[in-house]
Amino acid sequence: MSQFDNVSVVKAANIYFDGKVTSRTVIFADGTRKTLGIMLPGEYEFGTGQPELMEILAGELTVQLPGSQDWISISGTGEFTVPGDSKFKLKIAQTTDYVCSYL
Amino acid sequence: MSQFDNVSVVKAANIYFDGKVTSRTVIFADGTRKTLGIMLPGEYEFGTGQPELMEILAGELTVQLPGSQDWISISGTGEFTVPGDSKFKLKIAQTTDYVCSYL
């Protein structure tokens, strides 16, 4: 699926880390939301509210999930889930395009 | 209008200038397109195909339109149009959130 159909898109961007991480919120007919985002190279820590599914559309990064000492590497496409009310770390090596779904 | 309703959104981002300028394509029911984009601080030259309306949602920049020696300053919100098949220059001082419509 290369596009989301019959959705609403919030015009204003979500801007984090001085613009190095930005996203747009997409609202589906059933009221659920996803964000489409871009992360520029850097190191970031994010906190979750709801559990999240992060789908990497393009890019190169490593991720450290909560409670883990290990770094998982993704180059190209990939995905991982993050528990709710937790923190995870990302090291972005190449500009990364992603979709975040709230589970 | 804080959001676009009943639209499609292309998942893959449009990425320019090493990720310092990125956008998402929104397709309307009548087939017209807009892009929602982010520009990080820097100096950029863009070329147009169709004429464009650039609406600045937030940010701080100056723009030099084709054929002009002058720089127009926008801080906060603003808009300008660019003729088709032309080039224009932007100096982005603060991360800038925009909507581009093709006229």
Side-chain angles (χ1 to χ4, degrees):
Chain A
M1 184 180 52
S2 66
Q3 63 185 50
F4 296 127
D5 294 317
N6 192 26
V7 295
S8 294
V9 184
V10 178
K11 281 171 74 171
N14 311 305
I15 300 177
Y16 310 100
F17 299 106
D18 240 356
K20 292 181 77 178
V21 177
T22 60
S23 71
R24 303 278 171 181
T25 302
V26 179
I27 307 166
F28 290 74
D30 65 0
T32 60
R33 289 165 184 251
K34 296 182 194 288
T35 54
L36 283 165
I38 290 282
M39 296 182 284
L40 297 192
E43 300 191 13
Y44 311 104
E45 184 174 56
F46 294 97
T48 63
Q50 291 173 254
E52 296 180 1
L53 168 64
M54 284 284 288
E55 295 174 76
I56 307 303
L57 303 174
E60 187 181 330
L61 68 152
T62 54
V63 55
Q64 187 185 46
L65 292 175
S68 173
Q69 296 304 309
D70 297 327
W71 288 84
I72 299 164
S73 170
I74 295 174
S75 183
T77 61
E79 63 178 60
F80 55 90
T81 58
V82 187
D85 298 316
S86 66
K87 290 184 178 181
F88 65 105
K89 290 181 183 170
L90 292 173
K91 294 179 185 170
I92 305 297
Q94 298 283 341
T95 298
T96 292
D97 188 9
Y98 71 90
V99 185
C100 180
S101 303
Y102 302 93
L103 305 176
Chain B
M1 186 180 54
S2 66
Q3 62 185 50
F4 296 128
D5 294 317
N6 191 28
V7 296
S8 295
V9 183
V10 178
K11 282 172 73 170
N14 311 305
I15 300 177
Y16 310 99
F17 299 105
D18 239 355
K20 294 182 75 178
V21 178
T22 60
S23 70
R24 303 277 171 182
T25 302
V26 179
I27 307 168
F28 290 75
D30 65 0
T32 59
R33 288 164 187 252
K34 295 182 194 289
T35 54
L36 282 165
I38 290 283
M39 297 183 284
L40 296 192
E43 300 191 12
Y44 311 104
E45 184 175 58
F46 294 96
T48 63
Q50 290 173 254
E52 296 179 1
L53 167 65
M54 285 284 287
E55 294 174 78
I56 307 304
L57 302 174
E60 186 180 330
L61 69 150
T62 53
V63 54
Q64 187 185 49
L65 293 175
S68 172
Q69 296 305 307
D70 297 327
W71 289 83
I72 298 164
S73 169
I74 296 175
S75 182
T77 60
E79 62 177 63
F80 55 89
T81 57
V82 188
D85 298 316
S86 66
K87 290 185 176 178
F88 65 106
K89 291 181 182 170
L90 291 173
K91 294 179 187 170
I92 306 297
Q94 298 284 341
T95 298
T96 293
D97 188 9
Y98 71 88
V99 185
C100 180
S101 303
Y102 302 93
L103 304 177

